[in-house]
């Protein structure tokens, strides 16, 4: 797990630029650094290393293979590297290290770009082939590890793990991408396209790869999609599905325990993280290693937001030692500048602050690898937003009785009235202009809110969900949309930056592609029915999770009492908003203060809109953005 950098030009590049790029992400790799130069100074690879496998100097990067023909700078982990190495050895390939990095290089030398299909893991890398003067860059299936690129005005292509690495290069000017800023401010959407909130900075999207030659540095990569989600059709019953799911889940967790450093777990008390922690405990118990298991959790001083009861249920039932942290309002604005710098872009709620504090405690206790539950909600229909396409699908197929039963159960389990179901079906089935009319009737926020000046932002009032596939009457289709173009990408962005800011590798068992593709093949009712989400996971965790956790229906997940903070410290938030009005040159208008007062008085329901305004302003200032 590391940080990478690469520079390509038709002219000689000063060596200080690649060094500056790697220095700016020392947090991603505190154990060692390296740079390599090719083509008479026109091509550079840089690297910062966080040693996880083979802690010796053999794991240093950039690394070469095949007598120096291939060079790589690589960030990630290939969990099945042992099996791939054994296969390549049968073909006669030789290895000098025990790293997965060398396996990646050897696999590319033998299979070419088809090697990606064989990898089970997370990665972003750049490989240079000096014999063919070719560059190959690739990102993992779901975008766990980041990869950005930017063309400077100095005729130079830069590739990096984090956007901040471009700020140390000649020709850099931080300019705002107005449309993407609108998507974030109004719709809380980020990382749903190849564009970023910085004009001219792009990301290689999840499941994408790129190829180009040194002598043809065009205005964009020659990109291609190497991976598409495979969603087959499962024809067994729920009993069969549970057994297969459990087997694949245990294998996914087991693979992610391969490490030469200490491993811990993020434990929120929710179903996903608790399932991982208890599964790890089962595996370690079989190996007589349970004494080494550690978790880190975020609690809250406000009872409504505190999950300590469920966390302690897991810890007690399994005899695990857990560390706690309690994020406080009085520390939030002391660290928000640092969090923003590490995130590269604004973030949608203070839950990212809670996650930041969790990884800080993990680092303090030398837990270098942490397992976390990202990706479960999106594939297992864990969010309550999945009820809308569930209802819409039943309505569309004229399954009236089943629809009635589902709405009734949803009311019994979650206290959601029939109006909740009606609004959900309207949002999924009717054209967007009609939906906007209903939003006005129900006093929902309009597409072009008064607190945002679209002209100054140079953006159009377009709902990005129209292009991400989130508007659907299919639970599976919404899962695919959230996994590929909306929710998951934002969560992975924050997970990567919060963990790597503290030099920690975060591993995500639910994003084992074998498990995820199997879940997508299941019928909707195996995932969400009778008011119950994640049915397949709940069934598979019988006898493993405490029942109070397995069947809990509430959902938080490292949440902070942001609503309470807002109402207890209104003056602090008002000062921040006034700063943003001035700082944004009126993009955020004075009407944001009306919005604040409406939330505090109860006239408007609390959401994270106010935080997005504050985070946006912090980002403008921290990165010195030109408007």
């Amino acid at each position: 797990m590391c940080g990478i950098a690469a520079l390509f030009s038709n002219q000689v590049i000063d060596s200080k630029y690649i060094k500056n790029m790697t220095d700016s992400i020392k947090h991603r790799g505190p154990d060692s650094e390296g740079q390599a130069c090719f083509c008479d100074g026109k091509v550079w690879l840089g690297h910062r290393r966080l040693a996880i496998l083979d802690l010796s100097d053999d794991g240093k990067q950039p690394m070469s293979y095949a007598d120096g023909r291939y060079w790589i700078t690589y960030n990630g982990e290939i969990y099945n590297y042992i099996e791939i190495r054994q296969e390549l050895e049968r073909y006669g390939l030789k290895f000098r290290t025990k790293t997965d990095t060398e396996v990646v290089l050897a696999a590319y030398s033998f299979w070419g770009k088809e090697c990606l299909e064989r990898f089970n893991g997370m990665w972003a890398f750049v490989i240079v082939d000096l014999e063919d003067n070719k560059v190959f860059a690739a990102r993992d299936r779901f975008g766990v590890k980041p990869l950005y690129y930017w063309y400077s005005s100095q005729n130079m292509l830069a590739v990096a793990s984090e956007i901040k690495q471009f700020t140390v290069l000649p020709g850099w000017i931080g300019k705002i991408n107005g449309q993407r800023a609108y998507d974030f401010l109004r719709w809380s959407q980020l990382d749903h396209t190849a564009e970023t909130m910085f004009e001219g900075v792009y990301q290689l999207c999840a499941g994408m790869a790129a190829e180009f030659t040194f002598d043809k540095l065009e205005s964009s990569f020659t990109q291609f999609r190497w991976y598409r989600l495979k969603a087959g059709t499962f024809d067994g019953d729920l009993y069969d599905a549970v057994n297969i799911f459990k087997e694949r889940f245990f294998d996914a967790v087991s693979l992610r325990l391969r490490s030469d450093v200490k491993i811990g777990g993020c434990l929120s008390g929710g179903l996903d993280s608790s399932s991982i922690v208890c599964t790890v405990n089962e595996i370690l118990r079989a190996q007589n290693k349970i004494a080494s298991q550690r978790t880190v959790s975020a609690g809250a001083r406000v009872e409504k937001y505190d999950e300590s009861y469920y966390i302690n249920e897991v810890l007690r039932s399994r005899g695990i030692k857990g560390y706690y942290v309690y994020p406080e309002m009085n520390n939030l604005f002391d660290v928000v500048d640092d969090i923003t710098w590490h995130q590269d872009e604004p973030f949608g709620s203070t839950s990212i602050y809670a996650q930041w504090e969790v990884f800080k405690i993990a680092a303090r206790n030398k837990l270098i690898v942490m397992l976390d539950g990202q990706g479960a909600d999106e594939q297992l229909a864990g969010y309550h937003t999945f009820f809308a396409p569930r209802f819409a699908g039943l309505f569309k197929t004229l399954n009236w009785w089943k629809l009635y039963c589902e709405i009734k159960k949803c009311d019994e389990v979650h206290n959601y009235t029939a109006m909740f179901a009606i609004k959900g079906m309207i949002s999924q089935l009717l054209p967007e202009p009609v939906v906007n009319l209903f939003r006005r009737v129900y006093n929902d926020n309009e597409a072009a809110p008064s607190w945002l000046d679209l002209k100054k932002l140079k953006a159009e009032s377009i709902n990005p969900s129209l292009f991400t596939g989130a508007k659907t009457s299919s639970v599976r289709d919404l899962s695919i949309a959230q996994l590929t173009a909306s929710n998951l990408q934002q969560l992975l962005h924050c997970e990567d930056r919060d963990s790597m800011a503290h030099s920690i590798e975060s591993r995500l068992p639910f994003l084992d592609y074998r498990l995820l593709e199997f879940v997508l093949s299941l019928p909707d009712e195996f995932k969400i029915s009778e008011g119950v989400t994640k049915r397949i996971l709940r069934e598979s965790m019988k006898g493993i999770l405490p029942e109070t956790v397995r069947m809990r229906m509430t959902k938080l997940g490292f949440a902070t009492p942001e609503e309470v903070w807002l109402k207890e410290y209104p003056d602090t938030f008002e000062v921040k908003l006034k700063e943003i009005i001035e700082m944004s040159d009126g993009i955020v208008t004075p009407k944001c203060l009306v919005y604040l007062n409406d939330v505090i008085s109860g006239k408007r329901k609390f959401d994270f809109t106010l935080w997005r305004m504050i985070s946006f302003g912090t980002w403008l200032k921290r990165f010195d953005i030109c408007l």
Side-chain angles (χ1 to χ4, degrees):
M1 185 56 59
C2 311
I4 68 176
L7 291 173
F8 306 92
S9 179
N10 293 321
Q11 302 170 354
V12 176
I13 302 170
D14 192 320
S15 61
K16 69 180 180 182
Y17 294 130
I18 196 73
K19 182 70 164 58
N20 290 343
M21 289 181 76
T22 54
D23 283 350
S24 66
I25 53 164
K26 184 179 180 180
H27 51 277
R28 294 189 77 94
D31 296 326
S32 66
E33 67 171 315
Q35 296 87 32
C37 173
F38 315 101
C39 302
D40 301 320
K42 298 176 183 178
V43 175
W44 284 89
L45 297 181
H47 193 263
R48 295 290 320 200
R49 185 186 185 205
L50 176 63
I52 303 293
L53 299 171
D54 189 348
L55 307 186
S56 72
D57 286 346
D58 287 343
K60 282 188 173 183
Q61 295 184 49
M63 183 183 289
S64 66
Y65 189 79
D67 296 325
R69 173 179 174 175
Y70 301 102
W71 285 81
I72 190 173
T73 181
Y74 158 62
N75 168 32
E77 298 288 353
I78 305 301
Y79 303 118
N80 64 333
Y81 76 102
I82 294 175
E83 290 77 9
I84 295 174
R85 174 177 172 149
Q86 291 171 347
E87 181 178 1
L88 290 170
E89 285 176 331
R90 289 195 292 270
Y91 287 117
L93 277 72
K94 305 294 183 183
F95 295 85
R96 61 178 180 80
T97 77
K98 296 179 181 178
T99 67
D100 62 327
T101 307
E102 189 178 19
V103 171
V104 172
L105 272 174
Y108 179 70
S109 74
F110 189 73
W111 289 303
K113 59 190 177 185
E114 284 74 24
C115 67
L116 300 175
E117 299 282 355
R118 298 171 180 266
F119 296 158
N120 185 347
M122 53 183 182
W123 66 85
F125 61 70
V126 177
I127 293 176
V128 171
D129 179 349
L130 295 178
E131 186 172 302
D132 289 345
N133 290 330
K134 187 171 68 174
V135 179
F136 179 63
R139 199 170 173 207
D140 63 71
R141 290 173 178 83
F142 307 112
V144 181
K145 293 291 102 183
L147 192 66
Y148 295 98
Y149 62 97
W150 171 68
Y151 287 86
S152 80
S153 58
Q154 311 296 314
N155 194 32
M156 182 167 61
L157 168 63
V159 181
S161 291
E162 298 184 8
I163 297 173
K164 66 180 64 64
Q165 292 172 262
F166 303 139
T167 67
V168 300
L169 296 177
W172 170 263
I173 299 176
K175 296 181 180 180
I176 190 171
N177 181 333
Q179 195 62 47
R180 300 291 79 84
Y182 166 78
D183 293 349
F184 171 77
L185 285 165
R186 171 58 190 94
W187 299 103
S188 191
Q189 287 288 312
L190 199 64
D191 289 297
H192 54 296
T193 76
E195 296 180 10
T196 69
M197 281 181 61
F198 292 86
E199 184 179 302
V201 176
Y202 301 89
Q203 61 179 318
L204 189 65
C205 290
M208 296 288 287
E211 292 180 302
F212 60 93
T213 57
F214 300 159
D215 58 345
K216 292 183 180 180
L217 297 177
E218 300 162 348
S219 59
S220 65
F221 285 128
T222 300
Q223 299 184 31
F224 61 93
R225 176 160 296 283
W226 72 267
Y227 176 74
R228 294 186 184 277
L229 273 174
K230 302 176 179 67
T233 302
F234 181 74
D235 58 4
D237 59 19
L238 181 59
Y239 176 81
D240 295 331
V242 167
N243 287 334
I244 296 172
F245 178 92
K246 184 175 180 180
E247 179 184 350
R248 296 194 182 186
F249 182 61
F250 266 69
D251 189 51
V253 173
S254 183
L255 271 181
R256 284 155 182 79
L257 293 177
R258 289 178 169 175
S259 171
D260 293 329
V261 296
K262 287 175 66 175
I263 296 180
C266 297
L267 178 59
S268 71
L271 182 62
D272 310 331
S273 64
S274 298
S275 295
I276 292 172
V277 167
C278 290
T279 298
V280 168
N281 190 265
E282 290 275 312
I283 294 169
L284 294 180
R285 190 178 296 273
Q287 301 171 354
N288 295 315
K289 295 179 180 179
I290 57 172
S292 64
Q293 190 174 9
R294 299 289 183 270
T295 63
V296 184
S297 304
R301 304 296 183 189
V302 180
E303 184 177 354
K304 177 182 176 182
Y305 300 92
D306 186 56
E307 299 188 88
S308 299
Y309 171 78
Y310 298 104
I311 294 166
N312 290 332
E313 284 285 287
V314 172
L315 297 178
R316 280 196 297 265
S317 71
R318 290 285 169 171
I320 300 168
K321 181 175 180 180
Y323 303 105
Y324 271 98
V325 63
Y326 289 85
E328 301 282 4
M329 168 64 187
N330 57 17
N331 189 47
L332 171 61
F333 290 110
D334 292 334
V335 299
V336 70
D337 277 9
D338 284 343
I339 298 176
T340 302
W341 176 250
H342 281 280
Q343 287 292 329
D344 279 332
E345 296 176 278
F347 52 97
S349 78
T350 53
S351 65
I352 307 309
Y353 162 52
Q355 186 185 58
W356 171 277
E357 294 295 306
V358 164
F359 284 120
K360 183 166 71 175
I361 295 299
R364 188 177 297 168
N365 288 281
K366 296 180 171 56
L367 300 173
I368 308 302
V369 170
M370 295 288 284
L371 270 61
D372 207 349
Q374 302 290 14
D377 285 312
E378 290 76 15
Q379 63 180 285
L380 292 163
Y383 299 119
H384 288 191
T385 50
F386 277 93
F387 285 119
R390 173 70 169 151
F391 297 150
L394 293 172
F395 181 89
K396 197 172 181 178
T397 56
L398 308 182
N399 201 335
W400 308 115
W401 177 248
K402 183 67 174 176
L403 175 61
Y404 167 77
C405 293
E406 288 289 316
I407 293 174
K408 189 171 184 293
K409 278 290 186 180
C410 198
D411 186 15
E412 292 174 5
V413 175
H414 301 287
N415 199 30
Y416 287 157
T417 65
M419 185 55 66
F420 168 83
I422 293 169
K423 289 173 70 175
M425 286 187 285
I426 286 172
S427 69
Q428 299 300 316
L429 294 174
L430 296 183
E432 191 63 16
V434 180
V435 173
N436 280 334
L437 290 176
F438 278 94
R439 286 196 181 104
R440 294 190 183 95
V441 170
Y442 293 112
N443 199 30
D444 287 346
N445 287 345
E446 64 276 20
S450 59
W451 52 264
L452 188 60
D453 190 324
L454 293 189
K455 288 185 178 179
K456 287 189 176 182
L457 194 57
K458 298 177 183 177
E460 297 181 63
S461 57
I462 301 172
N463 186 341
S465 67
L466 298 175
F467 307 102
T468 61
K471 193 178 180 70
T472 176
S473 59
S474 163
V475 170
R476 177 188 289 184
D477 286 350
L478 180 57
S479 280
I480 292 173
Q482 291 193 351
L483 288 164
T484 60
S486 56
N487 278 52
L488 183 64
Q489 304 310 310
Q490 296 182 69
L491 293 172
L492 295 180
H493 178 132
C494 295
E495 179 94 16
D496 173 80
R497 303 310 190 281
D498 271 355
S499 59
M500 293 306 293
H502 298 95
S503 305
I504 287 175
E505 173 175 299
S506 176
R507 296 180 173 180
L508 312 173
F510 282 104
L511 290 183
D512 187 302
Y513 75 97
R514 302 165 304 167
L515 177 72
L516 194 150
E517 289 178 357
F518 171 71
V519 171
L520 286 182
S521 75
L522 300 175
D524 290 352
E525 57 266 25
F526 285 13
K527 289 171 276 190
I528 182 169
S529 63
E530 299 180 356
V532 178
T533 61
K534 303 179 187 175
R535 286 193 65 198
I536 186 77
L537 177 59
R538 295 179 195 275
E539 292 297 319
S540 69
M541 288 294 112
K542 280 183 178 177
I544 297 174
L545 279 180
E547 280 298 290
T548 51
V549 176
R550 189 179 75 87
M551 294 309 295
R552 69 172 290 198
M553 296 297 161
T554 55
K555 181 175 179 56
L556 289 175
F558 288 156
T560 61
E562 187 174 318
E563 181 178 4
V564 176
W565 293 347
L566 182 70
K567 293 179 179 179
E568 286 185 351
Y569 302 92
D571 293 345
T572 301
F573 284 88
E574 182 176 346
V575 168
K576 291 293 179 182
L577 290 174
K578 286 180 178 178
E579 290 176 359
I580 289 153
I581 294 168
E582 182 177 352
M583 195 182 310
S584 69
D585 193 28
I587 289 174
V588 177
T589 76
K591 289 294 182 67
C592 69
L593 300 175
V594 177
Y595 195 108
L596 171 66
N597 291 329
D598 286 350
V599 172
I600 292 170
S601 66
K603 287 176 61 178
R604 184 184 290 269
K605 186 178 179 181
F606 169 81
D607 61 18
F608 299 115
T609 301
L610 288 164
W611 177 260
R612 293 200 298 275
M613 298 179 201
I614 291 172
S615 185
F616 175 69
T618 306
W619 173 73
L620 291 176
K621 181 179 179 181
R622 190 66 180 84
F623 282 89
D624 193 23
I625 301 297
C626 294
L627 300 175

